[in-house]
Amino acid sequence: MISLIVHAILGIAVIALIVSSNRTIFARPATGPALSLLEVGYYIVGIASIALGWYFNIRYVTEYHVSNPVTGWIDYIKLMFVNPAAGSARQDYTIGNVILLPLMTIIDGYRRGIRRPWLYFVSSLFTSFAFAWAFYLITVERQRRQQMPQPVAT
């Protein structure tokens, strides 16, 4: 269970570092609501993915009596490929999380002027792939809203 607590703390720390590195993006927009409906939708999906992941990870730790973090990870990885269906899903997830997510967020993030975009990949290691992806999309949406032209007072 200690490894789950450490993962939670590291996940929160990485998210806080992303937000603090991009304060202008995460500041309240000058006009409009604090969160757009799209951002709310992304947050719902991202947080749900964390909740589901925690549910399964807690079950794994308690049912398999994981006490050693190293052997626990080895067993966890072995179980991800326990049958062809699991292996198929896992290879797809692994390619998406380990190759495509960092490539996309780092390249696109630097192009957009997002500071430390590589942290989205790091966050996926402690939260979930879906949360990291949703949080990046939230960042892009917030940046778009922050850059919208302000209404001119007459």
Side-chain angles (χ1 to χ4, degrees):
M1 274 309 220
I2 292 174
S3 65
L4 291 176
I5 294 167
V6 170
H7 268 78
I9 292 168
L10 290 172
I12 291 167
V14 173
I15 297 306
L17 188 54
I18 291 170
V19 172
S20 68
S21 296
N22 295 284
R23 289 176 195 233
T24 56
I25 294 172
F26 286 98
R28 181 176 171 84
T31 60
L35 297 172
S36 70
L37 285 176
L38 185 57
E39 289 170 84
V40 170
Y42 289 145
Y43 274 119
I44 289 169
V45 170
I47 292 168
S49 78
I50 291 175
L52 286 168
W54 270 83
Y55 167 76
F56 288 111
N57 287 333
I58 289 170
R59 282 191 58 198
Y60 167 72
V61 168
T62 57
E63 290 176 21
Y64 289 85
H65 309 289
V66 176
S67 58
N68 183 324
V70 175
T71 58
W73 273 109
I74 292 168
D75 293 339
Y76 187 86
I77 292 168
K78 285 179 184 176
L79 287 171
M80 289 188 291
F81 295 94
V82 73
N83 63 51
S88 174
R90 186 57 192 188
Q91 66 76 29
D92 198 37
Y93 160 78
T94 301
I95 290 169
N97 191 56
V98 177
I99 298 171
L100 295 177
L101 177 72
L103 274 175
M104 197 285 179
T105 56
I106 292 168
I107 293 168
D108 187 63
Y110 279 126
R111 286 177 180 166
R112 293 176 182 274
I114 296 171
R115 296 190 63 225
R116 298 186 176 118
W118 51 271
L119 284 173
Y120 291 90
F121 168 68
V122 174
S123 77
S124 76
L125 302 175
F126 305 116
T127 58
S128 73
F129 169 65
F131 177 83
W133 182 241
F135 197 58
Y136 183 76
L137 295 174
I138 289 164
T139 305
V140 169
E141 172 64 8
R142 289 198 66 80
Q143 185 182 50
R144 182 195 68 78
R145 290 180 58 222
Q146 293 287 13
Q147 293 173 344
M148 290 175 61
Q150 303 302 316
V152 178
T154 55

